[in-house]
Amino acid sequence: MTKLIFEQSTAGRTNNSQFLSTTSPIDDIPDGLRRKKRPALPEVSEMQVVRHYTRLSQLNFSIDTQFYPLGSCTMKHNPRICNEVAQYEGFSGRHPSAPDSTGQGILSCLFDLQEILKDISGMSEISLAPMAGAQGEFTGIAMIRAYHDARNDGRREEILVPDAAHGTNPASAVMCGYRVREIPTQGNGDVDIKALRATLGPQTAGLMLTNPSTLGVFERQIKEIAALVHEAGGLLYYDGANMNAILGKVKPGEMGFDVIHLNLHKTFSTPHGGGGPGAGPVGVNERLIPFLPVPKIVESSGEYRLLNKNDCPQSIGRLSCFMGNTGILLRAWVYARLLGREGMKRVADYATLNANYMKTKLERAGFEMAYPTRRATHEFVLTLKKNKADTGVTAMDFAKRLLDKGYHAPTTYFPLLVPECFLIEPTESESLEELDGFIRAMIEIGEETVEQVETVKTAPHTLPVRRLDEVRAARQLDIVWQGENGV
Amino acid sequence: MTKLIFEQSTAGRTNNSQFLSTTSPIDDIPDGLRRKKRPALPEVSEMQVVRHYTRLSQLNFSIDTQFYPLGSCTMKHNPRICNEVAQYEGFSGRHPSAPDSTGQGILSCLFDLQEILKDISGMSEISLAPMAGAQGEFTGIAMIRAYHDARNDGRREEILVPDAAHGTNPASAVMCGYRVREIPTQGNGDVDIKALRATLGPQTAGLMLTNPSTLGVFERQIKEIAALVHEAGGLLYYDGANMNAILGKVKPGEMGFDVIHLNLHKTFSTPHGGGGPGAGPVGVNERLIPFLPVPKIVESSGEYRLLNKNDCPQSIGRLSCFMGNTGILLRAWVYARLLGREGMKRVADYATLNANYMKTKLERAGFEMAYPTRRATHEFVLTLKKNKADTGVTAMDFAKRLLDKGYHAPTTYFPLLVPECFLIEPTESESLEELDGFIRAMIEIGEETVEQVETVKTAPHTLPVRRLDEVRAARQLDIVWQGENGV
Amino acid sequence: MPFIPHTEKETRQMLEAIGVRQIDELFDEIPDELINEKLNHVPSAMGEAAIRQLSKKRAEIDNAYVNFIGAGAYEHHIPAAVWQLATRGEFYSAYTPYQAEASQGTLQLLYEYQTMMASLTAMDVSNASLYEGASALAEAVLMAVRTRCKKRRVLMPETVHPRYRETAQTIVKNQGIILSSVAYSAEIGCIDLNRLKDELSEDVAAIVIPQPNYFGILEDVDGLVDLAHDNACLVIAVVNPLSLAVLKAPGDWGETGADIVVGEGQPLGIPLSSGGPYFGFMCSSQKLVRQMPGRLVGRTVDVDGKQGFTLTLQAREQHIRRSKATSNICTNQGLMVTAATLYMSLMGPAGMEQAAQASHTNTRKLIEKLTSIDGVEAEFNSTVFHECVLRIDAPMDDLLRAMTAQGIIAGKALAADFNNLQNCLLVCATELRTEEEMDEYALHLERIVSKRRLDPPCARKM
Amino acid sequence: MPFIPHTEKETRQMLEAIGVRQIDELFDEIPDELINEKLNHVPSAMGEAAIRQLSKKRAEIDNAYVNFIGAGAYEHHIPAAVWQLATRGEFYSAYTPYQAEASQGTLQLLYEYQTMMASLTAMDVSNASLYEGASALAEAVLMAVRTRCKKRRVLMPETVHPRYRETAQTIVKNQGIILSSVAYSAEIGCIDLNRLKDELSEDVAAIVIPQPNYFGILEDVDGLVDLAHDNACLVIAVVNPLSLAVLKAPGDWGETGADIVVGEGQPLGIPLSSGGPYFGFMCSSQKLVRQMPGRLVGRTVDVDGKQGFTLTLQAREQHIRRSKATSNICTNQGLMVTAATLYMSLMGPAGMEQAAQASHTNTRKLIEKLTSIDGVEAEFNSTVFHECVLRIDAPMDDLLRAMTAQGIIAGKALAADFNNLQNCLLVCATELRTEEEMDEYALHLERIVSKRRLDPPCARKM
Ligand SMILES: Cc1ncc(COP(=O)(O)O)c(C=O)c1O
Ligand SMILES: Cc1ncc(COP(=O)(O)O)c(C=O)c1O
């Protein structure tokens, strides 16, 4: 157990090298507006801070230390040069409201990135404004709404999502004021077209689809689906979280999507940072261009400029105070340039190779696939429902036991329609040895469920803590430390 | 056990982002001078490298993660800004042979550092050339030799060192072609003056002394010793490894020393880096100035220049190809400026306070001090000889058990004249809580030697490896990996 | 291959295991006509050495200016340890801490962060971050409306950052929520109390109160909070977190304090970076916690009773509640919060107080220097924290261009956002601006303004 | 207080525990007359923000040049991961790994480093570093003399870096060892074999062979090694480690290979940094291992038989053997070796080969461009690795100054070290020099040289 930083604090301890040589107390702010009691921030030395957070960091699993096959999250290598570039002073020190003329360096990188994303997605224009996939979804659906509104097509109140969709899809649709209807999935992992047909109508604003889907399969009927939705007057939204699987292979724009988002923190390998920041640029085809959010980055005769609300009267508006997660976009640009044209397709190739290899090997070892007849894309779903029935060992138990063996667990219990599932995404940057190691660990755990089932059910055993009481966490809510003598 | 990087290598694996866009094979070097078989360097991906070395790093204790009271080594906080500054491109990118006019930035920092070191040491001039304490010693003794030679005083063939001296002292003297004679220490930790008197003579080139000594006490007779050595025609060398104890309090030049070195990686907190680099500037009084090594950094009318052999005909010469460990000197300069005049004395004050506090507490808890009647300086020596006699538990066992409790062990079995000893140096940057934690751990181990002696004798138990077979390491020498099918 | 470890031999071996001859076969479920490997606008691959060279060049050209803009993002000192630690691989390259046992580092850090923010704002609880300040305000509006179900109007004073107002509008408008503007008093640059009262009616769910406001001026927060609460409105405070080292915390405003507090976390150790990534923070009273968007980390125990940390109240979130979630947010700004936690720890309450004081002092110094120039005066006669609106007797665009040519980014022009502030500039001098830089600013400004006065505008040529 | 965590209360508490009233009392054993707290030449404390500002300014003024000097230190590409990993606290802030169990990270890394260096040089063993290249050569000389006890002369060709020769002289002279110079052939810029033979006699312990030599030229290493061994001399090779990606490794020179190999490790991922910190490497044949200076890490097992690493053969070292140690070295260059190990892992054999090839190719390109200028020619007609001596028909000092004024550091003038190379310049273009930079160099050089030819020297004014 690592003491909290507050428990290492001593009243009056200061870290003077962070002080300024001369400061004078404030004398012109009325007393009633001043703070009386200092905030209870820790009073610790620099060394204490360094030691505490260095130690804390060591308690984490991370892509820099472990295989981390979290399905749909694309935990691949984060090249270190991307981080270096983002920290160059010219980039990191620039004020966002400084004149465009003083930011031609950063703007040129962002513009280049837009061009690259346009090409790989097959869309007509890109906005880099959204700060994560979910905000990309919001943006896309808001544009769909703006589009229908602009055409005075105000009856369209429904967004359709497959039942396999990521939770952000329905949540984003609701944030845009839509009702959400779920479309079921067939046994083979493809969308149930009959059900879709039955659901489409004049109330349909659009359909959100992930392709490859979160079931780890490519939606083969995509052209038909696109035609159906368009026929019904709806638009097609592409959730690009799985773009890693088809980078340089297939362009969403050519599948028939009207608007898309990309998760640069997945496909373009910007760091996940223990929960962000990400970047979720959106791309649109011709008809949605007027609605793109601001600011927009444009170029004319070698000069880069930001367009604002006044320049784009139909824009849905602005998504943040400045222009999105610039430093993340910059990292993605570096990554894209490192891969280059040649490298894009290779990402999809090897991500897919790795997934299919694991799927094959695990299948042969007796694990049950959710979609055994299908090719895996860059990820695949297996179900441990038999294991649960036979031994009582759940997917969660399996996951925790994997931690003991030095592997991060795959995504568990998602997608929701597959019971006791693992969504496994190895990514292209993992080596054959690493994949084999994980497969061996899975097999070992399978054997343990027979020979020493308690070991699995009570895992993990080698981590900083054993299994945590989540119910207590929610019931006896303790989300802010109340002091040594606190509650 | 972490696999070797070579065991993760696969023939033909490449890390192409480190490649250049265009290289052509060499065609003009005769075949007989070309390499035929590639070296067996690892063939691994960037991710494998990052993962392997990140994991390896986590196996280390370090000052950033643990209390590290290694006596005589001064493991104190390494401020992170020092590292940042050393990496500024203007500093890190400059070629050492570029004209002085293109290095006024770095030279001004180094010159400033010289001025600061001159003041705190009380010497007349400083050379920043030596790359560690030991090279500083070599330099100092070589200057002593050059001094005697210049006076045609060639009979002086002996350097005296107290028996408590650090091993580098006699080794450095020998490298300068001197015979070494040891001077015994009295029971109270001071030099045995009678013995010294008996040893001094026309053959004496000089005496090397650490003050405070490595016994953690201040040599009270220093003035008398200096007088005696000078009377005999010898010079006095100051090993400044323990300067942390008297920074801003006492100046070696005023104690009577003719030549000194400082360990900037100790007193000036530059990082130890798992074994260096360090920096061991030397300081001299007037009579040794002509002999200082080159290059020398001088200033005139605001311009900084390097002086070389031609400018300093009596110089002992050059100690390295360029000008020493510049990047370390730069870090020391930053540290010195952060401390400032006010901060120097505080270092000595609190390093001494911490050591005396620990000494008092441990003594009260029943631990035996090697010099119980003496004030501790910034460090102190305790002896576990009674523990060993009573329970068979050695200082080494105690040390290993401390690792289990999350504390790095103090220096053990040095100085050689105290049996089963610990040389404990907490440094000024450790907090009271940390000291108390260590004291508690010592007491606990003491109790364990009574109640569960085997736990102590077989420690450590919680580290990546248990106790290592050092005899085997030396007998079955394996210092280069011989391949999977190797020896 | 860059970032792909496979050798040809391994590739073959894997294909064999799968039972296909080449990688392309693995894509056989994709309709042929969809395959398109042409990427005409993606440049060829570049090595690391080359991309570094190119990037350095581009960064260099943006690196030549002294900045006097604040306006929502502030150039403060960031201790070297902050980013050296935050970019440690274990923080930098981990995912959202779904597997709690394998993420105790990030989780404990987030718990500490939540505690720090709660203490700084004097509120009960804090979430683990939102995207940035403006969208955090939008989330606060949605949250307020959720808790006051029937009411769909929120009062949004003009003294709130114009970009925040725009952002909130983009995000909340689709749910039929109305943001009603409240004009500011032209004299004192604060919310006009009378107009606010005029807007207050039954259907108002909440009032947004900025402190300091966009003009850098301090609002009468006590009065405003009491007024809001007297009218059964929630209070959404928008604050600069660094200012809270010296200004009254929102939890202490008025009789009962603000209900929701949001703001831009950037001043807490995050570099300016042309606008991001930053992070939004959100704190609230205990009773609103179940309406909060975003991640929350809770302290609990493991099966041995040992302390541990985990994501909690996940039933609010999209991955559990889907269309009924409190927000769609998933990936948030973890790494930025890591940096902010390090920043607050390294600075401590005393260090943050100093930085806030010094920014205040510097801005006052700057104002003094600039307003002593003929033709330059403060627009409002009010107490500011560390920003100030100046009215300058010169055409603003030309002036800014001339200053930029001198390497000085002189401030943020207000004309585009405020009709009656045509010749006004919002300026800021944080603790990092030196006396010489401020003198340089004054020097050039004086030269430009006086020249302008001597040359009639038609003759100007700069 | 900076870097001191004590509060006043804690200080009092600790003093009380000790039983003194104030800290000064703790210094009561120091004779009063020695206490001197005056520090008139140490400036007052500066905060981190201020020192950063000052340092940036100073770094900035050194940052404006394109460099064409090699001469012992080379500007190569360094992968970003190298220093991001090497500066992780656990590597950066650990001591020499005396407690093996608590230092397995550093120890395993050093074992891997030793393996890499042994493989690169084709030698049996490697130590864990010396200070830098020149002092490593001095240690090699001492080591050679130790193993050939009676012989106290070592042949030191003039083609060895002049600063290496000076350094070795400083370090070995006190032990009565004689370094005998051997002139180079004025035609081919290599060791003059006849003169070498003349110097060979019974009392010669070793011959030093540089490859490439100081002029960038490749020596006839096979012939030299065989000659040395035929005369019962040891061979000390001084090599550029990066060149070994393409050049024959010293272990393969001649019939039996070199005996000791040393060199400057800087090309392996270490920044130029005005000269340091770098690291010296030393490899040798197995039979000399007990004479090696410096740390050695060995692989062994723990009590459970598990693999582990520890410092070994410590009986060679000063902390055990004191005056009988093989060297006085204690602190060496651990962090640099960490970086080099990362560098070699990231580049791999293929990446290093590319970097070496590209440096060779670039230097050839540069030579071509420059020697096509009237008045510029190659001094020696020999094969070079990535450096070359040019003779230029212009006063060297003025020329260098004029080039510097153009932001180009044109090369290392050789006049001070070699009497008959008065108008000569040693130039180098590593893989980082671009075509444009080389063209720029040629352009300016041409202008300067031709101007010089038109204006008679007495009229010059630059
Ligand atoms: C399929 C899918 N859609 C959307 C998202 C949401 O993206 P973000 O987390 O960037 O908001 C994710 C990521 O978690 C995802 O996996
Ligand atoms: C007392 C003493 N003298 C000399 C030295 C040698 O210094 P360095 O390791 O820098 O060569 C040390 C450090 O280990 C020491 O403690």
Side-chain angles (χ1 to χ4, degrees), chain D residues 352-369:
Chain D
M352 282 177 61
E353 188 176 304
Q354 281 220 5
Q357 279 174 355
S359 298
H360 177 78
T361 307
N362 268 357
T363 295
R364 278 184 67 192
K365 265 193 212 159
L366 179 69
I367 297 169
E368 217 166 277
K369 285 179 205 284

Side-chain angles (χ1 to χ4, degrees), chain C residues 127-196:
Chain C
N127 77 1
S129 82
L130 296 167
Y131 299 129
E132 46 79 72
S135 50
L137 173 56
E139 289 278 8
V141 167
L142 295 177
M143 177 172 163
V145 168
R146 270 199 302 280
T147 56
R148 290 279 187 278
C149 332
K150 302 266 163 56
K151 306 179 171 187
R152 297 196 82 77
R153 209 151 68 86
V154 169
L155 302 191
M156 183 70 85
E158 280 187 350
T159 60
V160 172
H161 196 308
R163 301 290 95 72
Y164 279 47
R165 289 185 268 136
E166 284 178 35
T167 304
Q169 178 66 10
T170 306
I171 293 175
V172 309
K173 70 175 170 208
N174 295 316
Q175 296 188 46
I177 294 165
I178 291 152
L179 301 177
S180 300
S181 183
V182 181
Y184 67 89
S185 142
E187 252 158 86
I188 54 166
C190 286
I191 296 170
D192 187 323
L193 252 183
N194 291 327
R195 305 224 204 165
L196 183 71

Side-chain angles (χ1 to χ4, degrees), chain A residues 403-414:
Chain A
L403 304 179
D404 276 336
K405 301 196 182 274
Y407 297 99
H408 196 280
T411 299
T412 50
Y413 298 98
F414 176 79

Side-chain angles (χ1 to χ4, degrees), chain A residues 72 132-134 137 166 168 210 214 239 241 263 265-266, chain C residues 95 330-331:
Chain A
S72 188
E137 294 168 21
H166 193 263
T168 49
T210 313
T214 57
D239 175 340
N263 299 62
H265 43 304
K266 301 183 179 186
Chain C
Y95 205 78
C330 176
T331 293

